[in-house]
Amino acid sequence: MAHDLDTDPTWLGGVWAEQNTTPAKIAEALSELLKARHADGEACAPARVLNLVVIVDREWRGEIINRLERVGRYHPSRLILCAVEPGRTELDAWATLRVEGDPRPGEMALYHEEVVVDIGEQHLGMMDTIVDPLVVSDLVTVVWSPHGHPEAVDSLLRLAQVVLIDSLMEPDPAAAVARARELEERAYIVDLAWLRSTPWRERVAATFDPRSLRPELGKINSVTVRHRPDSVITGLLFFGWLASRLGWEPGHIMSQHDALVGHAHGRRQDVKLRLEPDPTMNAPGLAGVTIETASGTEISLNRGPGGLTARRRNRKGNETTWTVLGASRGEGGILGEGIRQALLRDPTYAPALRAARAMLP
Amino acid sequence: MSETAQKEPQNPLVEGLERLPIHPTTLVIFGGTGDLAKRKLLPALYNLAHEGALPERFTLIGVSRSDMPHDDYRQMAKESIMQFSRRPPDEKVLDRLLENVRYVPGTFDEDSIYEKVKETAEEFDQGAEIVFNRVFYLSTAPAFFPVIVGKLGEHGLNRHDESEVRVVIEKPIGRNLAEAMALTRANLGVLREEQVFRIDHYLGKETVQNMMALRFANGLFEPIWNRNYIDYVQITAAEDLGVGTRAGYYETSGAVRDLVQNHMLQLLALLCMEPPVTFSADDVRDEKVKVLHAIHAPEVDRVKEIAVRAQYASGMAEGKDVPGYLDEPGVPPDSTTETFGGIRLEVDNWRWAGVPIYLRTGKRLARKITEIAVTLKPVPHLAFDQQGSVGVQPNQLIMTMQPNEGVSITLGAKIPGSRMRIRPVNMEFLYGTAFLSQSPEAYERLITDAMRGDATLFTRVDEVIAQWRIIDPILQAWSEEPGPLPKYPAGSSGPEEANGILMPGHHWRTI
């Protein structure tokens, strides 16, 4: 039955809503919304890339929806947002189709499906039974639970191929690494804390890529990472990446005043590691990286206007500075990148995570 | 000096990175104030900078005739980027990008500009304490290509002991076979073929590259991709706009030189080539060249049988009256420049022998579309009653490059009801529905490939010559025929005469 969007009170403005509903009714509503679009004769097609299942605390629902709206072109094709409200026993839901961009004449409109389901804590352990009828079969399903609720994530692992996490949200780095390791054995992990280090990893790799500088990689004897105080984990993953790529054997890190310090055993020499908090930094993630080599070269990258400010000091003490161009992606960009990465496979995260684990006492 | 010639120390940090490092580069744009630089190259460079995809160290030198200081050139570049970038520029990134821009004024035959370019590039090297690669982008009228390449050679800018030197050349590579060969000889007297990157921006389009994925990453199509199953192929590149203000250029080109000789023959080659051993530059281009060599160049006196040309007459487009080509500003009243070209070719090899491949392109057609339609042979026996239906049609596989990038397959399906009646239906894959990423501009991909030294998406010299060898006799035959040319109404699907090159039972798809 095609619903009349103008007169049916549950379909006002192209939005379907129902209290005390069921997953089957929500799935039917999505199907009816699609038929109504086609009945209107609109040249439109549904995006069919991935399902994103998000579990949030209901009081922060609006904030998460706003974050998802800022992901730019990386909208999931079907968003199923489950808002957890303590004490709730019934499911309330609404669903809508959102058209992307402003198609020109002759172009197909592309739309995304959005479903919000209010759930109670009692539903968390059986999330798979609520979500299963709502995901598009054969598409990658990604789960993101920014406010914790590990039991919901665990119950959804039967359906999901990818889990989006942000290790930064876990105050204890050891607990963050342990949880990431646990999930990594059961699904592909996209960690926003890792993605915040991507530009740094790319630029450090590029800095040492000229043929004349590659031998310096084997001579690294000190790495200092500066980070926002809550972003220790991003720094640890960065160390883990260097260690796993360069064959270092990481030792434990420990507190020293405000910093965390430690060593890794390189093939030729030990490497001093230091994580320094930078309270002036506004955005989560890293503020700077300094790498020194046994031959006296020092390379540092720091956040700056229009990209990263790079500085190289050679063994004679001569310095050059330049800007490695790149716009800040912002937190919306990081989340969008996380959604995009769900379709790719990064073979370097898991080894970096294992190396980071080895640095924690 | 070849980067692969020496045993290199490895960089394990690049493993797993989506964006692989590119060696520090100085890009020199000859024609740095021209239309292409303003509309495409400078905005592409900004977008690469925004995404952090430029080399870690990047410097730009614009070279052009206008006399202006560095700051005025930077201002011009800034305005072009702000006007034509596909995303609103971030002022901080833009300002930093422009800090490393220099300008060298002068005409391309002046020795002083090459000395100045050399000096500026060396200053960049010294400042960075690293030797940058040099990429010279010839964004100029084709007449300047041999002049600039010759001067690069004279001033020792064609090679460098410590870095790579590459030259990017825009189309057209000559106006005919003889000119293309002369230009090639001039280039290769100064540069090695590996240093020359001939841009065909069609090859930078994601949807064109997707043709290779469709063919070689799917077991579904390859078994039927041959003369046993395919009846004919149509490649269409239709534009809805007229010649506009480009009559000066178009009069020297025409539809066939503008699109068929390069872009459409590239599409044909990608469609018909054998699977390459690897996707390395030379393996892919080897296979494309084999296809082009398998197309017999038409004899001049038989061109009429396989090729048709026409000009648009006045008509209606987008709901308003539009002038015919001969009434467009700047077009001579007796012009014989074709605005429509249709050609029938055959690839004479084991896979394709006997399968006509129709190419057509034109301006002021009913709509803008670029597509390849592969029509399969009809089923050998029909058990269905076709009365009361349009009947069973041969399957078609249609690859659309623009505007709705995707692939569709027409299938016969039963019309609901008590009788077994069949009509064609479409099974569609729209590129935009299946990927989150917006496709980058073709120039962004091609500029990074040129800086990286990956020539896969660039046209090799033997491809250019093979393309001209096919097209040259057609242009020669047409040049010997007086006008006026057949006409087609603006906003139509093309001239009636285009049907004359179709084999019996074949028909053009509606534009």
Side-chain angles (χ1 to χ4, degrees):
Chain A
M1 180 188 72
H3 290 246
D4 183 336
L5 301 186
D6 293 327
T7 57
D8 187 333
T10 59
W11 295 79
L12 286 174
V15 177
W16 172 90
E18 189 165 271
Q19 293 184 329
N20 192 17
T21 190
T22 64
K25 285 185 184 172
I26 302 168
E28 187 192 345
L30 282 168
S31 170
E32 293 297 333
L33 279 168
L34 177 57
K35 283 184 198 164
R37 281 271 180 199
H38 285 300
D40 287 348
E42 292 181 35
C44 57
R48 285 288 175 260
V49 187
L50 54 79
N51 303 293
L52 177 63
V53 182
V54 186
I55 300 110
V56 297
D57 289 341
R58 192 175 187 283
E59 59 186 315
W60 299 106
R61 187 178 74 178
E63 190 219 335
I64 295 296
I65 289 174
N66 286 341
R67 277 186 74 183
L68 284 165
E69 281 176 1
R70 290 198 297 269
V71 300
R73 58 182 181 267
Y74 299 126
H75 285 289
S77 37
R78 182 172 285 186
L79 169 68
I80 302 155
L81 189 136
C82 302
V84 185
E85 186 177 19
R88 171 176 283 278
T89 57
E90 295 170 346
L91 303 181
D92 293 351
W94 58 269
T96 190
L97 308 182
R98 183 194 293 263
V99 174
E100 185 182 275
D102 189 14
R104 288 175 293 187
E107 279 188 352
M108 281 278 198
L110 185 65
Y111 65 83
H112 304 260
E113 298 144 319
E114 294 186 2
V115 182
V116 176
V117 190
D118 287 341
I119 61 170
E121 286 167 323
Q122 68 180 64
H123 298 115
L124 290 173
M126 47 183 161
M127 284 297 296
D128 54 335
T129 62
I130 295 171
V131 169
D132 199 348
L134 303 182
V135 296
V136 184
S137 305
D138 300 327
L139 295 188
V140 170
T141 296
V142 183
V143 173
W144 180 40
S145 186
H147 301 139
H149 306 301
E151 68 275 43
V153 175
D154 289 342
S155 85
L156 287 166
L157 288 176
R158 180 177 70 77
L159 303 176
Q161 294 78 41
V162 181
V163 180
L164 188 65
I165 61 173
D166 189 353
S167 294
L168 226 70
M169 302 307 287
E170 173 59 64
D172 174 16
V177 170
R179 176 62 173 161
R181 290 270 289 137
E182 180 191 345
L183 288 171
E184 190 242 325
E185 288 175 7
R186 302 171 65 190
Y188 179 70
I189 301 296
V190 175
D191 188 346
L192 301 186
W194 169 250
L195 298 185
R196 289 188 189 90
S197 74
T198 303
W200 302 88
R201 287 183 281 117
E202 284 178 349
R203 278 125 206 204
V204 168
T207 298
F208 286 97
D209 199 57
R211 210 175 301 137
S212 59
L213 289 174
R214 288 183 192 178
E216 294 290 306
L217 282 170
K219 300 176 190 168
I220 292 175
N221 63 4
S222 168
V223 183
T224 300
V225 169
R226 295 169 288 283
H227 58 87
R228 195 168 90 159
D230 65 355
S231 302
V232 171
I233 187 71
T234 300
L236 271 176
L237 289 168
F238 182 83
F239 282 158
W241 170 69
L242 282 174
S244 58
R245 301 308 328 145
L246 297 176
W248 300 344
E249 188 187 324
H252 287 170
I253 55 165
M254 55 197 73
S255 291
Q256 187 181 74
H257 306 299
D258 285 344
L260 290 169
V261 297
H263 283 85
H265 305 294
R267 292 193 176 115
R268 295 187 191 167
Q269 68 275 311
D270 275 4
V271 184
K272 279 192 259 179
L273 304 176
R274 183 176 176 84
L275 280 170
E276 287 179 358
D278 179 351
T280 65
M281 168 115 169
N282 295 323
L286 305 186
V289 172
T290 300
I291 298 175
E292 294 172 56
T293 72
S295 58
T297 301
E298 181 184 298
I299 288 167
S300 67
L301 294 164
N302 287 289
R303 280 178 186 258
L308 300 182
T309 304
R311 182 174 57 84
R312 188 171 73 226
R313 193 190 66 207
N314 65 18
R315 66 192 76 176
K316 295 174 189 163
N318 299 329
E319 279 192 11
T320 53
T321 59
W322 68 97
T323 300
V324 185
L325 298 167
S328 169
R329 292 174 294 177
E331 282 298 286
I334 295 284
L335 179 57
E337 180 63 12
I339 295 170
R340 191 179 79 87
Q341 287 284 331
L343 299 170
L344 306 171
R345 291 294 176 267
D346 180 349
T348 59
Y349 173 70
L353 185 66
R354 283 194 286 274
R357 173 71 195 86
M359 290 181 205
L360 293 164
Chain B
M1 182 183 62
S2 165
E3 265 178 336
T4 53
Q6 297 178 2
K7 191 175 180 221
E8 293 182 4
Q10 297 301 302
N11 178 3
L13 299 183
V14 300
E15 168 80 19
L17 293 179
E18 228 182 313
R19 260 195 294 271
L20 296 173
I22 305 174
H23 189 85
T25 300
T26 293
L27 177 67
V28 182
I29 303 179
F30 286 93
T33 58
D35 208 42
L36 180 71
K38 286 181 180 171
R39 287 175 176 270
K40 296 289 182 188
L41 305 183
L42 292 167
L45 290 170
Y46 170 75
N47 281 298
L48 292 170
H50 186 105
E51 288 172 2
L54 280 180
E56 190 211 358
R57 309 191 77 163
F58 175 78
T59 52
L60 174 68
I61 303 172
V63 182
S64 204
R65 197 164 32 189
S66 316
D67 193 9
M68 65 173 109
H70 299 305
D71 279 344
D72 285 9
Y73 184 68
R74 291 186 191 112
Q75 184 59 31
M76 184 226 79
K78 185 172 190 171
E79 285 165 11
S80 304
I81 290 165
M82 292 179 83
Q83 187 177 355
F84 297 113
S85 167
R86 68 181 164 90
R87 59 156 68 87
D90 175 322
E91 285 266 348
K92 289 175 184 163
V93 176
L94 182 52
D95 288 346
R96 287 288 184 272
L97 172 68
L98 295 172
E99 277 177 7
N100 292 319
V101 172
R102 302 283 186 276
Y103 182 69
V104 175
T107 55
F108 302 132
D109 56 356
E110 275 177 54
D111 289 311
S112 61
I113 65 167
Y114 298 90
E115 286 304 313
K116 189 69 187 162
V117 164
K118 191 177 194 177
E119 186 185 308
T120 308
E122 285 171 358
E123 279 171 20
F124 285 136
D125 293 347
Q126 284 155 14
E129 294 182 348
I130 197 162
V131 181
F132 289 45
N133 284 346
R134 273 81 161 140
V135 176
F136 298 102
Y137 198 120
L138 275 49
S139 172
T140 67
F144 292 117
F145 294 171
V147 176
I148 296 169
V149 170
K151 290 286 181 190
L152 290 175
E154 284 173 30
H155 291 268
L157 285 160
N158 57 331
R159 48 184 54 100
H160 194 289
D161 289 342
E162 297 172 68
S163 72
E164 300 288 336
V165 176
R166 303 183 181 111
V167 176
V168 181
I169 296 178
E170 277 283 340
K171 70 155 191 170
I173 311 294
R175 291 188 72 249
N176 53 41
L177 180 61
E179 281 188 22
M181 292 183 78
L183 190 59
T184 296
R185 274 194 296 271
N187 285 344
L188 297 182
V190 177
L191 302 161
R192 299 188 313 277
E193 172 61 20
E194 315 83 271
Q195 293 179 279
V196 184
F197 289 70
R198 298 174 192 84
I199 278 206
D200 184 327
H201 75 271
Y202 255 49
L203 295 179
K205 289 177 184 282
E206 290 282 341
T207 43
V208 173
Q209 294 164 50
N210 192 43
M211 277 174 64
M212 288 192 275
L214 186 85
R215 286 197 56 202
F216 303 129
N218 296 288
L220 184 62
F221 301 114
E222 202 53 27
I224 60 162
W225 215 254
N226 57 57
R227 64 191 304 275
N228 297 323
Y229 293 91
I230 292 177
D231 193 7
Y232 63 102
V233 175
Q234 277 181 30
I235 304 178
T236 301
E239 293 184 51
D240 54 350
L241 298 177
V243 73
T245 57
R246 296 178 68 227
Y249 160 73
Y250 207 73
E251 273 294 299
T252 65
S253 166
V256 169
R257 281 194 187 89
D258 194 35
L259 279 169
V260 178
Q261 180 271 330
N262 34 62
H263 308 320
M264 296 182 77
L265 285 180
Q266 284 289 336
L267 293 181
L268 184 156
L270 288 168
L271 183 90
C272 297
M273 73 182 192
E274 294 299 314
V277 176
T278 69
F279 273 89
S280 68
D282 276 334
D283 281 355
V284 171
R285 297 188 298 180
D286 283 348
E287 296 303 337
K288 285 196 294 174
V289 168
K290 282 186 204 166
V291 172
L292 295 169
H293 284 168
I295 299 172
H296 279 297
E299 292 162 28
V300 173
D301 56 358
R302 301 192 67 182
V303 162
K304 268 190 180 159
E305 296 167 22
I306 60 116
V308 62
R309 59 176 175 160
Q311 283 173 338
Y312 61 84
S314 60
M316 292 279 286
E318 295 179 342
K320 57 188 178 193
D321 291 326
V322 293
Y325 180 68
L326 297 180
D327 297 321
E328 296 276 17
V331 175
D334 58 349
S335 167
T336 56
T337 301
E338 80 284 359
T339 64
F340 178 97
I343 299 173
R344 186 184 75 228
L345 297 173
E346 283 191 23
V347 179
D348 289 329
N349 63 15
W350 193 281
R351 187 190 282 265
W352 291 103
V355 178
I357 298 176
Y358 303 106
L359 312 178
R360 66 175 162 167
T361 182
K363 287 194 171 292
R364 273 281 182 242
L365 293 169
R367 67 190 172 114
K368 182 180 176 69
I369 188 166
T370 306
E371 66 168 28
I372 297 174
V374 178
T375 304
L376 270 61
K377 290 186 172 170
V379 291
H381 169 69
L382 269 180
F384 307 119
D385 175 10
Q386 299 205 50
Q387 269 192 348
S389 74
V390 295
V392 175
Q393 306 288 319
N395 299 123
Q396 276 192 327
L397 173 74
I398 297 139
M399 287 169 267
T400 308
M401 278 76 199
Q402 58 184 4
N404 296 311
E405 298 97 330
V407 181
S408 71
I409 299 175
T410 63
L411 304 168
K414 181 182 175 298
I415 300 170
S418 57
R419 292 171 57 193
M420 194 65 185
R421 292 179 303 180
I422 310 292
R423 79 167 177 86
V425 293
N426 275 9
M427 189 165 76
E428 275 191 284
F429 154 68
L430 284 170
Y431 209 69
T433 64
F435 294 95
L436 293 163
S437 314
Q438 188 183 37
S439 297
E441 284 279 320
Y443 276 99
E444 293 171 32
R445 168 72 194 266
L446 294 170
I447 289 170
T448 43
D449 279 3
M451 289 195 288
R452 201 187 298 285
D454 181 349
T456 309
L457 300 179
F458 294 82
T459 315
R460 206 169 56 189
V461 61
D462 47 352
E463 283 180 270
V464 175
I465 300 302
Q467 289 168 346
W468 273 121
R469 194 184 48 75
I470 297 162
I471 296 302
D472 211 43
I474 298 170
L475 295 175
Q476 192 186 329
W478 286 352
S479 71
E480 290 166 6
E481 278 180 27
L485 268 54
K487 298 288 186 290
Y488 58 98
S492 70
S493 282
E496 284 294 322
E497 288 80 354
N499 293 327
I501 62 170
L502 295 174
M503 300 298 280
H506 297 172
H507 57 87
W508 291 110
R509 280 170 53 79
T510 306
I511 290 178

